Amino acid sequence: MGRVRRWLNPNQLRLQTNRLLRRWDLGLYRPSWVESQLPEQYTHGDAALPEGAEAALRTDHPRLAELRARYSGHCAAAVSAWSDLRLEGQIDLRRFRGDSQYLYQARGTSDAAYALSTHYALRHGRLGVLDRLDEDGLFGALLHDVDGRAISRDRLDAALEIEALAEWLGADALAKGRVLDIGAGYGRLVHRLAQWAPDGERVATDAVPTSTFLCEYYLGFRACPGTQVIALHEIENALSTRRFDLATNVHSFGEAPLASVRWWIERLAAADVPRLFLVHVEPELFALEDDLTRAPLAPVLETLGYRAVDVQPKYAHSDAVQRLGVFPAWYHCYERG
């Protein structure tokens, strides 16, 4: 009887069905669903694609096929939250900055939440990062007008993360630092760090082939100074030959199995990366197994020499904004030794 109840669980049924369909490169997806979730006050910012984007951002691109072949079977490429082919099924590569698995922007988030979070960032951002970042809405980013500012979740989250990192490390150290962004997605944080402070060194890496493919395109399109994308099969060599001051991970550790996350942390520890900044949905860190059960992550970090030095809400200066703002989360700061 228990087995019957398990199979009737919608999430489990969807995952099992998509595992079966994956061998034919198929997946369950309703194309109208994402658009139906978008409130009327949001607009897509890309009336036209940049020159060359149509030819570059296609599912049959040889580089994407190469990355899929290279990543296949790699321990760190094991997936859980991404295993139902939501990337391949729901992301139009030409609109990768839209509301999707990469960056939820509108689902359950009100007009007031964006205004509230924007004014929070302006009031509490000591460095004024939000106004040092711009937003052109390209590649499907959802835009919201807040008192004349074009606000996207990309711009808002990056401003808050950079402010938090600068408060922890010092603005000068962050601006000139060597940063490794694990689970970089399409390159959001690395792009914004380069836009805010072009003198640092930033490396983006990801265990999802589509992410690496998009990241290579996007950071190249933005012509980000001091940035590099390193593919999964090349990252161990980079860690053994280069020094990093900080590793960051925004949400993806909480969307991957513990074995995959442990692989990353073991490499960071072996390379003696001294600081780790994690953005997570809850104050307690966890990895997500393939059956959607949670595995505690803090013991792995502690065993490998990383200790928590600070845990704070995304909207640390206001309990109200942490409840009502755009996609509340938690910032976890770890140091090694």
Side-chain angles (χ1 to χ4, degrees), residues 26 52 68 107 109 116 144 180 256 260 328:
L26 299 172
R68 285 172 172 161
R107 308 174 196 198
T109 304
L116 184 66
H144 185 77
L180 173 66
S260 299

Side-chain angles (χ1 to χ4, degrees), residues 197-253:
D199 293 335
E201 297 179 27
R202 288 99 191 193
V203 169
T205 190
D206 203 293
V208 176
T210 306
S211 299
T212 302
F213 174 72
L214 290 173
C215 197
E216 289 177 345
Y217 172 82
Y218 188 60
L219 295 183
F221 171 79
R222 294 296 188 188
C224 295
T227 65
Q228 182 182 3
V229 182
I230 297 182
L232 176 62
H233 56 281
E234 299 170 335
I235 194 63
E236 286 191 86
N237 180 64
L239 282 166
S240 67
T241 57
R242 301 173 62 166
R243 298 286 297 174
F244 293 96
D245 304 306
L246 169 73
T248 58
N249 180 270
V250 180
H251 289 301
S252 67
F253 278 177

Side-chain angles (χ1 to χ4, degrees), residues 59-72 209-210 212-213 216 231-234:
T59 57
D60 64 346
H61 197 287
R63 176 57 175 166
L64 181 54
E66 177 190 359
L67 290 167
R68 285 172 172 161
R70 289 277 193 170
Y71 288 17
S72 179
T210 306
T212 302
F213 174 72
E216 289 177 345
L232 176 62
H233 56 281
E234 299 170 335

Side-chain angles (χ1 to χ4, degrees), residues 53-219:
E54 189 80 31
L57 298 173
R58 64 182 204 269
T59 57
D60 64 346
H61 197 287
R63 176 57 175 166
L64 181 54
E66 177 190 359
L67 290 167
R68 285 172 172 161
R70 289 277 193 170
Y71 288 17
S72 179
H74 194 290
C75 172
V79 291
S80 51
W82 299 73
S83 62
D84 60 349
L85 298 184
R86 278 179 283 188
L87 276 185
E88 289 81 359
Q90 291 193 28
I91 288 186
D92 180 345
L93 294 183
R94 299 164 300 176
R95 300 168 70 89
F96 58 86
R97 295 182 70 222
D99 185 271
S100 70
Q101 179 79 349
Y102 277 121
L103 202 64
Y104 291 164
Q105 297 166 59
R107 308 174 196 198
T109 304
S110 69
D111 180 31
Y114 269 87
L116 184 66
S117 296
T118 298
H119 286 287
Y120 173 94
L122 292 170
R123 177 179 181 181
H124 296 288
R126 297 180 181 179
L127 301 177
V129 174
L130 185 67
D131 277 341
R132 293 177 61 178
L133 307 180
D134 60 18
E135 180 55 80
D136 55 19
L138 287 175
F139 307 109
L142 301 185
L143 304 182
H144 185 77
D145 186 291
V146 179
D147 297 334
R149 291 177 175 85
I151 298 297
S152 64
R153 186 182 172 193
D154 178 316
R155 180 182 181 185
L156 180 63
D157 275 13
L160 293 170
E161 289 155 7
I162 291 170
E163 293 275 8
L165 283 166
E167 184 176 349
W168 176 29
L169 305 173
D172 288 343
L174 177 63
K176 299 176 181 178
R178 298 162 296 186
V179 179
L180 173 66
D181 189 27
I182 299 170
Y186 63 78
R188 175 189 64 85
L189 181 55
V190 168
H191 164 232
R192 296 305 191 175
L193 281 167
Q195 187 176 52
W196 168 69
D199 293 335
E201 297 179 27
R202 288 99 191 193
V203 169
T205 190
D206 203 293
V208 176
T210 306
S211 299
T212 302
F213 174 72
L214 290 173
C215 197
E216 289 177 345
Y217 172 82
Y218 188 60
L219 295 183

